[in-house]
């Protein structure tokens, strides 16, 4: 009995303890219910205002898309994976491979021209090269649909392209900084545009007969390497086939681009007939540099060589030094000119000028040698005559007045009387010139003639030289 009484007592105490702990928590529940009811009322008020604002917005009617747009990658994957073979050229106009050649329209932008080398006969050019053709296998839409107007080919996607090459190319490379400068567009009607920026070193056979007053014609020849005219036909774009960068014509250091022409150069070989396009660049050499560095200095050297005509013939070291110095200077200048030119088999305009200048300088040096020879010969004759007079002095000749005089003296008196008689008959102006210039002296007479003859001949040569080559330059341009 006592054990059961204790058990019931413990149970009663536990029940009372649980009720005592639960009673203090009941009032806060009522507070929470009141707070939640307030929050719900605020949310309903806010929701009601948002619904009213949304109801005021006017929505546009929905228009369904006829052709849903597809990503460029999906279009290209579909075009290149449905039996397309990039190794086979596009079909002709009738849709078959035998329907005619692929017409490739070409145009280019010339960005710069540099390094025009006369010795190697080549020049460097940088251009943007563009080709356009139609490949009906790559058409993916029509005009006015929702597809994009063109797609840009990414790396790794290959399509058929013409095997174009430059016939007169020596070196070439594509620009790769900072990405490859290549663009390939595929238009929705199947038109392909290929654009690339390249630098070329092209051969340019030069004709230097009129150097440095020449006009050179340098070519850019484009052709197909393997496809004949039955497969590929190159044509120039109708509008502006060759474009020039602004200021290109006057930016060259030693040439001026005067004109650009386009033509065709279809060639026949043992393997067939190949279509070819040709660009002709007319390059006129700048003459001002050669005028200041070559023609004027050589002209001055020729004039300096004439100074020896005014120096006394007895000053042998001065005249020899002047003649030899001018001749060696002209030879050095000629060597510097030929070092910048290729060895050709014909005569150039600059060779004629340099040869004439060296001839005048050399003749001035020979003139001094001739004067020295005449002077020495006259001195020798004078010495011989004096020695002969001394030997014949004892022999006398009796005159009318019975005065005995030497025979040579009598002959000299007769010559003097003859000369005086002739001088009285001549003009006084010529007598004054003979007296001042000592015309009777053959050595001085040679210098006097050279003072007039050399400038007259050099002036005549200049007149003929510039008249001939300037007319030729005008006719060539």
């Amino acid at each position: 009995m006592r054990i059961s009484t204790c058990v019931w007592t413990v149970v009663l105490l536990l029940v009372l303890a649980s009720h005592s702990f639960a009673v203090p928590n009941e009032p806060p529940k009522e507070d929470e219910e009141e707070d939640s009811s307030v929050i719900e009322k605020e949310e309903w008020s806010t929701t009601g205002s948002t619904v009213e604002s949304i109801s005021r917005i006017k929505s546009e009617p929905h228009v369904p898309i006829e052709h849903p747009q597809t990503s460029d990658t999906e279009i290209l994957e579909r075009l290149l994976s449905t039996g397309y073979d990039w190794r086979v050229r596009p079909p002709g106009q009738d849709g078959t491979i035998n329907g005619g050649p692929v017409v490739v329209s070409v145009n280019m932008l010339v960005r710069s021209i540099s390094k025009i080398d006369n010795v190697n006969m080549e020049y460097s050019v940088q251009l943007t090269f563009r080709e356009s053709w139609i490949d009906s296998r790559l058409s993916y839409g029509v005009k006015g649909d929702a597809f994009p107007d063109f797609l840009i080919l990414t790396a790794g996607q290959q399509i058929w392209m013409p095997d174009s090459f430059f016939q007169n190319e020596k070196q070439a490379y594509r620009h790769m900084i900072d990405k490859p400068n290549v663009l390939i567009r595929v238009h929705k009607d199947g038109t392909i545009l290929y654009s690339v920026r390249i630098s070329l070193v092209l051969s340019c056979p030069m004709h230097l007969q009129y150097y440095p007053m020449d006009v050179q014609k340098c070519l850019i020849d484009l052709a197909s390497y393997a496809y004949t005219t039955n497969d590929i036909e190159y044509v120039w774009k109708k509008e502006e086939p060759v474009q020039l960068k602004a200021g290109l014509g006057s930016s060259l250091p030693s040439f001026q681009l005067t004109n650009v022409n386009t033509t065709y150069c279809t060639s026949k070989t043992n393997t067939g007939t190949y279509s070819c396009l040709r660009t002709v660049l007319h390059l006129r050499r700048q003459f001002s540099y050669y005028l200041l560095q070559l023609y004027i200095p050589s002209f001055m050297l020729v004039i300096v060589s004439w100074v020896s005509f005014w120096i006394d013939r007895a000053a042998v070291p001065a005249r020899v030094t002047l003649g030899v110095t001018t001749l060696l200077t002209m030879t050095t200048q000629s060597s510097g000119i030929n070092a910048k030119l290729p060895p050709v088999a014909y005569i150039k305009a600059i060779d004629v000028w340099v040869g004439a200048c060296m001839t005048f300088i050399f003749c001035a040096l020979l003139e001094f040698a001739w004067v020295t020879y005449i002077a020495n010969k006259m001195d020798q004759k004078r010495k011989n005559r004096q020695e002969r007079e001394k030997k014949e002095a004892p022999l006398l000749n009796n005159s009318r007045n019975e005065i005995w005089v030497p025979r040579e003296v009598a002959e000299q008196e007769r010559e003097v009387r003859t000369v005086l008689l002739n001088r009285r008959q001549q003009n006084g102006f010529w007598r004054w010139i003979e007296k001042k210039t000592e015309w009777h002296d053959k050595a001085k007479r040679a210098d006097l003639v050279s003072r007039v003859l050399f400038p007259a001949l050099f002036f005549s040569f200049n007149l003929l030289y510039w008249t001939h080559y300037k007319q030729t330059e005008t006719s060539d341009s």
Side-chain angles (χ1 to χ4, degrees):
M1 292 295 289
R2 288 182 180 179
I3 294 173
S4 61
T5 304
C6 292
V7 171
W8 285 108
T9 304
V10 172
V11 171
L12 181 63
L13 291 174
L14 291 173
V15 170
L16 291 174
S18 62
H19 281 285
S20 63
F21 284 110
V23 169
N25 294 334
E26 290 179 357
K29 287 183 179 180
E30 295 177 357
D31 296 335
E32 289 177 2
E33 291 178 357
E34 292 178 358
D35 294 339
S36 62
S37 62
V38 174
I39 293 172
E40 289 176 356
K41 290 180 181 179
E42 292 178 356
E43 288 178 355
W44 277 109
S45 62
T46 306
T47 305
S49 63
T50 304
V51 172
E52 292 177 359
S53 62
I54 292 174
S55 63
R56 296 195 189 108
I57 298 175
K58 296 181 180 180
S59 60
E60 297 181 357
H62 176 69
V63 180
I65 301 176
E66 297 180 359
H67 300 283
Q69 292 192 7
T70 311
S71 65
D72 297 355
T73 305
E74 293 178 0
I75 297 175
L76 288 174
E77 289 295 336
R78 177 172 54 84
L79 292 174
L80 299 178
S81 62
T82 56
Y84 180 83
D85 191 352
W86 61 270
R87 296 169 297 180
V88 181
R89 73 171 182 88
Q93 296 179 355
D94 59 355
T96 62
I97 199 67
N98 298 322
V102 180
V103 179
V104 180
S105 178
V106 177
N107 74 315
M108 62 182 67
L109 169 64
V110 181
R111 293 181 173 272
S112 65
I113 301 174
S114 60
K115 289 185 180 180
I116 303 177
D117 192 346
N118 296 319
V119 178
N120 297 322
M121 291 192 178
E122 63 185 20
Y123 71 103
S124 301
V125 60
Q126 182 186 131
L127 49 87
T128 300
F129 175 66
R130 306 185 188 98
E131 291 179 322
S132 178
W133 66 94
I134 297 177
D135 192 345
S136 58
R137 299 172 296 176
L138 297 178
S139 62
Y140 59 89
V142 295
K143 185 177 181 181
D145 59 11
F147 291 112
D149 292 335
F150 60 85
L151 305 175
I152 298 179
L153 228 61
T154 57
Q157 296 174 328
Q158 290 184 340
I159 63 172
W160 180 90
M161 298 180 62
D163 58 341
S164 306
F165 82 106
F166 296 91
Q167 292 182 339
N168 57 334
E169 170 258 324
K170 290 185 175 181
Q171 296 178 1
Y173 64 91
R174 295 179 181 177
H175 293 264
M176 307 295 290
I177 303 298
D178 61 346
K179 294 289 184 179
N181 298 165
V182 179
L183 171 65
I184 302 178
R185 285 181 180 177
V186 180
H187 292 262
K188 62 176 60 179
D189 60 349
T191 301
I192 312 298
L193 173 63
Y194 171 71
S195 177
V196 60
R197 188 165 73 98
I198 54 179
S199 292
L200 304 169
V201 178
L202 304 173
S203 64
C204 179
M206 297 184 181
H207 303 282
L208 303 174
Q209 290 91 341
Y210 308 112
Y211 176 90
M213 293 171 284
D214 54 336
V215 178
Q216 301 299 335
K217 296 180 181 179
C218 295
L219 308 178
I220 305 177
D221 289 346
L222 173 72
S224 173
Y225 188 81
Y227 291 101
T228 62
T229 52
N230 296 327
D231 296 317
I232 288 182
E233 181 183 358
Y234 288 97
V235 295
W236 285 111
K237 187 179 179 181
K238 293 182 179 179
E239 297 180 359
E240 295 183 344
V242 178
Q243 300 171 335
L244 302 177
K245 188 178 179 180
L248 178 64
S250 58
S251 62
L252 301 178
S254 58
F255 284 86
Q256 183 179 5
L257 183 61
T258 58
N259 193 13
V260 178
N261 295 332
T262 57
T263 182
Y264 294 88
C265 55
T266 302
S267 59
K268 294 183 179 180
T269 64
N270 294 333
T271 57
T273 303
Y274 297 88
S275 180
C276 175
L277 300 180
R278 172 169 292 176
T279 304
V280 183
L281 304 176
H282 296 261
L283 299 172
R284 181 190 300 275
R285 198 181 300 273
Q286 297 283 3
F287 182 70
S288 57
Y289 169 80
Y290 300 94
L291 179 64
L292 297 176
Q293 300 295 327
L294 173 62
Y295 283 93
I296 292 179
S298 58
F299 185 86
M300 294 173 64
L301 285 175
V302 175
I303 295 177
V304 168
S305 67
W306 298 342
V307 176
S308 63
F309 302 151
W310 276 265
I311 300 177
D312 185 46
R313 67 174 182 270
V316 176
R319 297 189 68 165
V320 171
T321 302
L322 183 61
V324 172
T325 302
T326 52
L327 184 61
L328 292 178
T329 305
M330 194 66 210
T331 304
T332 304
Q333 192 173 15
S334 175
S335 301
I337 296 168
N338 293 325
K340 300 178 181 179
L341 296 174
V344 295
Y346 48 81
I347 298 176
K348 303 179 290 292
I350 194 65
D351 296 336
V352 177
W353 174 265
V354 172
C357 292
M358 292 185 66
T359 301
F360 276 96
I361 295 174
F362 183 70
C363 289
L365 186 61
L366 290 181
E367 189 271 345
F368 169 66
W370 172 252
V371 169
T372 304
Y373 172 75
I374 295 176
N376 293 334
K377 190 175 181 180
M378 291 178 61
D379 293 341
Q380 188 65 32
K381 287 183 177 180
R382 188 179 300 108
K383 290 180 180 179
N384 294 336
R385 186 173 61 251
Q386 291 177 356
E387 292 177 359
R388 190 170 56 254
E389 290 177 355
K390 290 179 180 179
K391 292 180 181 180
E392 295 178 355
L395 301 177
L396 300 177
N397 186 13
N398 191 3
S399 62
R400 293 182 180 179
N401 298 327
E402 295 181 354
I403 299 175
W404 296 88
V405 296
R407 184 181 294 105
E408 292 292 333
V409 175
E411 292 178 358
Q412 289 180 2
E413 289 178 356
R414 286 194 298 270
E415 291 177 358
V416 169
R417 286 194 297 267
T418 305
V419 171
L420 292 176
L421 181 61
N422 294 332
R423 286 185 176 181
R424 291 191 188 97
Q425 296 176 356
Q426 292 178 354
N427 191 357
F429 176 73
W430 291 108
R431 283 186 300 174
W432 179 80
I433 290 179
E434 290 178 358
K435 182 178 180 181
K436 292 294 183 182
T437 59
E438 300 181 5
W439 187 259
H440 60 279
D441 192 342
K442 293 183 179 180
K444 291 185 177 181
R445 188 187 308 170
D447 283 339
L448 293 174
V449 172
S450 299
R451 294 175 188 177
V452 179
L453 182 62
F454 274 72
L457 292 177
F458 192 64
F459 175 77
S460 302
F461 164 74
N462 275 268
L463 184 62
L464 295 175
Y465 180 85
W466 297 112
T467 302
H468 173 71
Y469 286 105
K470 279 298 180 181
Q471 286 182 354
T472 307
E473 179 186 6
T474 305
S475 61
D476 289 344
S477 61

